[in-house]
């Protein structure tokens, strides 16, 4: 089915990966059907003079920015990697505060929040857990004893 004027416009808010910017989405508008309005989101840490306090502070800041825009009609979120996590958290906050929620979340390069990580968080691992992890990578005991300690 081709695009017709009768189709409603949907705003697609696009959230880049960590370290990425709006340039990630510079060609998306010309490559998408006319009923999709691509809106690259400028992350707060990319704006001059904006200071945010942690991840939750960033989500609150984005919520403040986007709450008026999402009331203008149907919308969806796309996020890649960290942008996917931001989309999920922002959609959850919109729902919790009883705002319109995205018609669809398009998330890439991030596991679903309810799926446990495939590997252990090594930053909190004990020495024994680290040993077991590295023995799985180097099973032939290729690590000398000094490095193991």
């Amino acid at each position: 089915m081709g695009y017709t004027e009768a189709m409603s416009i949907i705003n697609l808010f696009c959230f880049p990966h960590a370290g990425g910017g709006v340039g990630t989405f510079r060609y998306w508008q010309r490559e998408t059907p006319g009923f999709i309005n691509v809106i690259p989101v400028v992350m707060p840490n990319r704006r001059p003079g904006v200071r945010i306090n942690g991840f939750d502070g960033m989500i609150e800041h984005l919520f403040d920015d986007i709450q008026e825009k999402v009331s203008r009609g149907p919308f969806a979120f796309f996020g890649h990697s960290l942008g996917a996590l931001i989309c999920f958290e922002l959609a959850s906050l919109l729902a919790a505060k009883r705002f319109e929620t995205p018609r669809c979340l398009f998330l890439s390069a991030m596991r679903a929040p309810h799926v446990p990580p495939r590997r252990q968080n090594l930053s909190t691992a004990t020495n024994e857990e680290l040993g077991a992890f590295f023995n799985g990578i180097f099973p032939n005991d290729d690590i000398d004893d000094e490095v193991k300690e």
Side-chain angles (χ1 to χ4, degrees):
M1 177 173 148
Y3 168 70
T4 67
E5 290 300 319
M7 293 177 138
S8 62
I9 300 287
I10 186 163
N11 291 318
L12 178 62
F13 294 91
C14 298
F15 297 82
H17 60 87
V22 295
T24 303
F25 308 107
R26 73 177 154 261
Y27 301 115
W28 282 38
Q29 187 63 63
R30 74 175 185 210
E31 300 295 330
T32 56
F35 65 91
I36 299 173
N37 182 29
V38 177
I39 303 172
V41 176
V42 178
M43 301 307 290
N45 60 326
R46 296 277 185 168
R47 301 176 195 163
V50 174
R51 295 208 178 260
I52 54 170
N53 187 14
F55 186 79
D56 290 339
M58 179 175 52
I59 298 301
E60 286 288 339
H61 191 94
L62 288 167
F63 172 80
D64 292 342
D65 283 353
I66 209 166
Q67 61 181 311
E68 178 193 333
K69 295 172 186 154
V70 299
S71 65
R72 296 181 188 160
F75 68 97
F77 286 165
F78 169 80
H80 180 73
S81 192
L82 181 62
L85 182 58
I86 291 167
C87 286
F88 176 81
E89 292 297 332
L90 188 54
S92 298
L93 184 59
L94 286 166
K97 293 191 176 195
R98 307 246 186 252
F99 280 80
E100 278 296 316
T101 55
R103 297 268 176 104
C104 190
L105 289 176
F106 300 99
L107 309 175
S108 66
M110 178 64 70
R111 67 178 169 77
H114 68 283
V115 176
R118 284 190 275 178
R119 63 183 170 143
Q120 180 181 3
N121 180 355
L122 297 180
S123 66
T124 59
T126 65
N127 284 344
E128 291 77 24
E129 291 167 332
L130 282 173
F133 175 79
F134 284 112
N135 282 336
I137 295 174
F138 304 105
N140 297 329
D141 205 23
D142 291 340
I143 305 173
D144 67 37
D145 291 334
E146 186 179 343
V147 173
K148 286 182 183 178
E149 291 301 315

